[in-house]
Amino acid sequence: MTTRTRTALRTTALATALTLALAAGPLAAPVLATSAPATATTTTTAHVKGPDAKALRAAIAGLPNADATAALVRVGGRGPDWHGSAGVHDLVSGRAADPDGRFRAGSTTKVVTAAVVLQLAAEGHVDLGRPARHYLPDLIPAAYKDVTVRQLLNHTSGIPAPDFPGDTFEEVYAHRFDIHTAREMVASATAKKPEFAPGTGQHYLNIGYTVLEVLIERVTGHAYEREAARRIFGPLGMRDTYLPGTDPEIRGPHNHGYQAVPRTDGTTELRDVTVWGATDSGAAGAMISTTADLERLLTALFRGRVVPERQLAEMFTLPAGVPGATMSAGLQRHVTDDGTEVWGKSGGRWGYNTIVAATRDLSRTLVYSVNSTDAKGYDMNPVAARIIDAAFRR
């Protein structure tokens, strides 16, 4: 499988950093780029007034267009919150987008998975510094005997991506209902040579969280989906959030997702890609949610209501000694040009791009779902870029 990278369109540095991790599915693994130093700081700049409502309205105006068919946005923090939606539920009916609709949340699932692992660490069931092979001796081969649980969490394991069928969109589309198990994907990845020695580099891939899915199930004796629901979704009241397993449908109200597909005559088809299996991502990116639920997760997590303080520090600490590292356990860090420190996680599934992001003190929060027409493309979605820029504007 060819590794694809993402580059940014002309926009703010913050928008670039937060959206680089959108395409971490089978077709892509982004090269992360940021101006942030390699170790975390406590720097933050409070947003003391409410969000720029005019800029946010302008950011999502004119949908549907060639870039996106819908957008759902929630901006909070200090001052009044702003909620907005634009676009259509689907291109056939043309009716307005459902602002409360469910969507594929992609790699924001990693925030949940990291939280579950950190809870297990707090309970003494998992040692973050211990090799993953200690917990999964039958699955992790000797070549990866030194990879620790912490390195799986922060993408410094050196384990490469597994193989998936297809390189082009049409090839992948033909396999959209294939069933993949976590164990099979881990076996495929670990049959290859390491990309680098554990802890010496950082490469954002799904595979670390696929290993963690199996580890959670081994340690708890329960399915990953059950642990996520019992530990995170239920206690936080995330009633519209679930993990679909082998079901390719989105249950409940939702807006359709589309992919721009070039035709041989030079025109472009917007193909409905709403129904698509997510077993290729599992604990790394299969979650289905809403903006309200993800906002609830974001604020509860940052306030220390999900993971105990000692373990929560892992989510706001970058790996030491790794040049250019921007990813922690479940989150990504960026410092804007004005010194504002923002932590967040992006996600992308075909037809859907998502972000959860906030300043550490929650003076500004952002959650969005953009129904991007090229959610796995090379370039950052212009609608998403405008939303991020407007949300964190001071």
Side-chain angles (χ1 to χ4, degrees):
M1 175 65 61
T2 302
T3 298
R4 299 172 64 190
T5 60
R6 296 177 62 83
T7 59
L9 294 176
R10 185 176 61 190
T11 185
T12 64
L14 173 60
T16 301
L18 287 180
T19 54
L20 278 171
L22 283 173
L27 279 186
V31 173
L32 299 177
T34 181
S35 59
T39 56
T41 72
T42 57
T43 302
T44 190
T45 301
H47 290 76
V48 296
K49 61 182 181 179
D52 188 334
K54 181 179 179 181
L56 286 164
R57 285 194 297 269
I60 61 176
L63 300 184
N65 61 22
D67 299 314
T69 58
L72 315 178
V73 185
R74 299 175 73 93
V75 181
R78 297 179 184 173
D81 294 347
W82 188 90
H83 303 163
S85 63
V88 295
H89 168 271
D90 65 276
L91 293 176
V92 176
S93 73
R95 73 177 191 265
D98 182 349
D100 301 315
R102 293 175 177 174
F103 50 82
R104 299 192 186 281
S107 285
T108 61
T109 311
K110 292 183 177 71
V111 179
V112 172
T113 304
V116 171
V117 173
L118 293 173
Q119 285 185 3
L120 291 172
E123 294 162 6
H125 300 304
V126 171
D127 182 340
L128 301 182
R130 180 166 283 182
R133 195 170 190 237
H134 171 80
Y135 303 97
L136 301 169
D138 55 325
L139 185 62
I140 306 298
Y144 294 96
K145 63 182 177 62
D146 295 326
V147 172
T148 67
V149 176
R150 180 176 286 108
Q151 289 163 348
L152 295 174
L153 284 165
N154 63 25
H155 308 282
T156 61
S157 70
I159 303 176
D163 291 324
F164 292 96
D167 291 309
T168 67
F169 168 77
E170 292 292 0
E171 291 169 342
V172 174
Y173 182 78
H175 290 276
R176 67 192 183 280
F177 299 133
D178 288 3
I179 303 298
H180 306 274
T181 71
R183 293 184 66 88
E184 289 171 349
M185 289 187 286
V186 174
S188 171
T190 56
K192 305 175 186 180
K193 294 181 179 179
E195 291 188 339
F196 48 79
T200 63
Q202 187 174 72
H203 186 184
Y204 178 76
L205 290 169
N206 281 346
I207 188 59
Y209 282 70
T210 306
V211 177
L212 291 171
E213 177 178 341
V214 185
L215 187 149
I216 289 168
E217 295 185 338
R218 179 68 58 84
V219 170
T220 66
H222 301 141
Y224 166 75
E225 292 83 358
R226 175 178 171 180
E227 288 300 303
R230 183 177 73 88
R231 292 172 174 271
I232 312 296
F233 306 155
L236 296 184
M238 299 171 65
R239 296 180 180 85
D240 291 310
T241 301
Y242 71 99
L243 291 149
T246 59
D247 184 0
E249 305 272 355
I250 299 176
R251 301 198 301 264
H254 60 276
N255 302 309
H256 288 224
Y258 295 87
Q259 170 67 25
V261 183
R263 296 190 180 102
T264 55
D265 63 1
T267 61
T268 299
E269 169 196 359
L270 286 180
R271 187 175 302 176
D272 193 323
V273 292
T274 307
V275 181
W276 195 301
T279 59
D280 59 350
S281 56
M287 182 170 65
I288 290 171
S289 191
T290 64
T291 55
D293 273 5
L294 290 182
E295 185 179 61
R296 189 173 291 113
L297 170 66
L298 181 67
T299 55
L301 180 69
F302 279 41
R303 287 172 178 159
R305 291 176 44 214
V306 179
V307 175
E309 182 177 353
R310 179 182 175 186
Q311 286 71 33
L312 182 60
E314 297 280 343
M315 303 189 84
F316 298 100
T317 303
L318 302 182
V322 179
T326 65
M327 308 297 299
S328 62
L331 296 175
Q332 182 177 23
R333 176 180 181 261
H334 179 74
V335 177
T336 67
D337 291 340
D338 66 8
T340 302
E341 183 180 75
V342 176
W343 293 87
K345 188 70 195 74
S346 57
R349 294 290 301 178
W350 296 104
Y352 302 89
N353 282 160
T354 304
I355 271 183
V356 296
T359 55
R360 182 65 184 89
D361 61 2
L362 293 174
S363 61
R364 179 56 44 84
T365 66
L366 167 65
V367 177
Y368 73 59
S369 170
V370 172
N371 292 62
S372 169
T373 60
D374 194 16
K376 289 289 187 179
Y378 288 104
D379 296 322
M380 182 171 57
N381 183 272
V383 177
R386 292 196 298 269
I387 294 169
I388 296 170
D389 183 47
F392 288 96
R393 184 175 298 173
R394 297 182 62 241

